[in-house]
Amino acid sequence: MNQASNTSKIKYTNDSRNVKEIEKKIFFNFFQGKSRLAIVSHLDPDGDAMASLSAMTFFCEKQNIFSQIFQFNEPPFPEYNYWNISIDNIDNLCLNKFDGIIFVDTPSLKRAGFKDNFEVLIPSISIDHHIDNKYFTDFSLIYPSFCATAEIIFELLRNSLNYDLPLDKKIMEALLMGILFDTYYFQTENVDAILLERASFLESKTNSIHILKNILFKNQTPQIYSFWGKILLNTSLYFNKQVVVAKADDLLYSEFEKKDKNFSRDFASEGFINHLMNLRNVEIAIFIRELTDVYKVSIRSSVKIASRLANRFGGGGHENAAAFRIDKKIFSSIDELENSIINTISEIWGEKNRSNK
């Protein structure tokens, strides 16, 4: 655990799988004397982000603190907001109406969707497991070895001698949901006995694991599978079939939008990349989506490369899962972006025999 010498900001990077008492003290002290808190996570909020936002909202309720969630956009699936919590647009955040702000599961103001000139001018704290966190708040509690931000919050709230606060069912359900999502139902490389014990505790108190699993993962339709099939027909394999790249360009999206006016690009793309990691021998999966003005790229890996790769393109994430957005003006085509990603993997990962399918 490293504490910064800069007295204006307290930075804790805890590389262990356990939360220290001093970190719990910092967390709980942040709420002292607060009556109105804003809560923010990253843009395109996924299951862990929504779970962490929800858990902090419920915790504030228990402390009789008013809280409001502000997000750049809504989650790709409305089911991720299982508790129908009110979400306001980030552009509506007026800091002078709050006496503190909490950031969960986001490594930077940019990743949260704030404009470049935004400044955090009120007391702030961040709870995160992104390895590339920018330590942009007054208090930063960063745990790169944790599987999900929801897992961190669980450990911060877990009963101790100093903080005997029982967790209610809504909080525990939210934390279990975040763990399930960010481990893709216990399939990621960082799942260990510690994580399973924590998830088991939460399940024993909520009996919600199958309900939450269905909310998070049972949301595809036959049309979405047809869309995925079209993508799979045009995948490329590199580095002796250890890297797979899949692409969905505007023409493909438009084809399905013409067939069904209810076809959603966000819904159809969510979760696809996780299936790519089930391909035999694949250690890195890349999914490139063409949007109106940007390319959105998702990265999964069983080797510790995802966040470093995303950082090269202005994004970020975890060692095994990351993402970035990049202006379409930078690359003349989706294929040019693919070539740039492969060249960058070669630089980071080391030269290997490249093998195209």
Side-chain angles (χ1 to χ4, degrees), residues 162-180:
N162 296 326
Y163 309 106
D164 189 17
L165 294 172
L167 301 179
D168 66 16
K169 184 177 180 180
K170 286 195 302 184
I171 293 177
M172 290 190 288
E173 277 187 329
L175 298 178
L176 181 58
M177 174 176 161
I179 289 171
L180 292 178

Side-chain angles (χ1 to χ4, degrees), residues 39-270:
I39 313 175
V40 178
S41 189
H42 59 74
L43 51 80
D44 303 320
D46 58 18
D48 186 30
M50 290 305 304
S52 299
L53 290 167
S54 300
M56 293 312 306
T57 297
F58 300 145
F59 176 73
C60 286
E61 286 180 3
K62 290 180 66 68
Q63 307 307 305
N64 296 316
I65 297 173
F66 171 83
S67 66
Q68 177 64 50
I69 293 173
F70 292 90
Q71 284 296 120
F72 180 84
N73 54 1
E74 296 282 338
F77 285 111
E79 290 86 355
Y80 290 177
N81 189 2
Y82 178 51
W83 297 273
N84 295 316
I85 293 173
S86 175
I87 300 176
D88 205 345
N89 189 275
I90 206 167
D91 290 337
N92 297 328
L93 173 58
C94 296
L95 292 179
N96 59 9
K97 294 183 178 180
F98 297 90
D99 46 22
I101 184 169
I102 304 168
F103 292 88
V104 292
D105 198 39
T106 188
S108 65
L109 292 173
K110 179 180 179 181
R111 186 76 176 92
F114 286 104
K115 296 175 181 177
D116 292 339
N117 60 351
F118 181 83
E119 294 183 80
V120 183
L121 300 176
I122 58 176
S124 58
I125 189 171
S126 59
I127 301 105
D128 188 26
H129 70 138
H130 290 85
I131 195 170
D132 57 340
N133 190 283
K134 304 303 182 185
Y135 300 94
F136 58 98
T137 52
D138 296 326
F139 303 96
S140 298
L141 300 176
I142 314 303
Y143 303 80
S145 297
F146 275 62
C147 299
T149 296
E151 184 192 6
I152 301 169
I153 296 172
F154 170 62
E155 281 300 292
L156 287 168
L157 296 180
R158 193 198 279 255
N159 294 352
S160 69
L161 293 174
N162 296 326
Y163 309 106
D164 189 17
L165 294 172
L167 301 179
D168 66 16
K169 184 177 180 180
K170 286 195 302 184
I171 293 177
M172 290 190 288
E173 277 187 329
L175 298 178
L176 181 58
M177 174 176 161
I179 289 171
L180 292 178
F181 182 87
D182 251 21
T183 61
Y184 311 111
Y185 205 61
F186 310 116
Q187 294 186 58
T188 54
E189 297 291 322
N190 53 359
V191 171
D192 58 13
I194 295 173
L195 183 281
L196 294 174
E197 181 276 325
R198 290 166 180 168
S200 178
F201 173 87
L202 291 169
E203 167 61 7
S204 71
K205 301 297 183 181
T206 64
N207 194 31
S208 299
I209 194 167
H210 295 297
I211 295 172
L212 297 173
K213 176 188 175 184
N214 289 338
I215 289 169
L216 293 172
F217 304 114
K218 197 171 183 179
N219 43 34
Q220 276 77 42
T221 66
Q223 185 187 39
I224 290 176
Y225 275 113
S226 177
F227 173 72
W228 288 4
K230 283 289 187 74
I231 301 174
L232 290 171
L233 289 173
N234 192 33
T235 56
S236 300
L237 294 169
Y238 300 89
F239 302 104
N240 293 323
K241 301 183 180 180
Q242 294 177 89
V243 176
V244 60
V245 178
K247 296 171 289 188
D249 60 18
D250 185 64
L251 287 175
L252 181 60
Y253 282 121
S254 297
E255 174 187 337
F256 279 82
E257 286 170 337
K258 290 176 182 177
K259 295 178 182 178
D260 183 356
K261 64 179 181 179
N262 295 319
F263 180 83
S264 166
R265 297 190 179 200
D266 286 337
F267 288 8
S269 303
E270 182 73 5

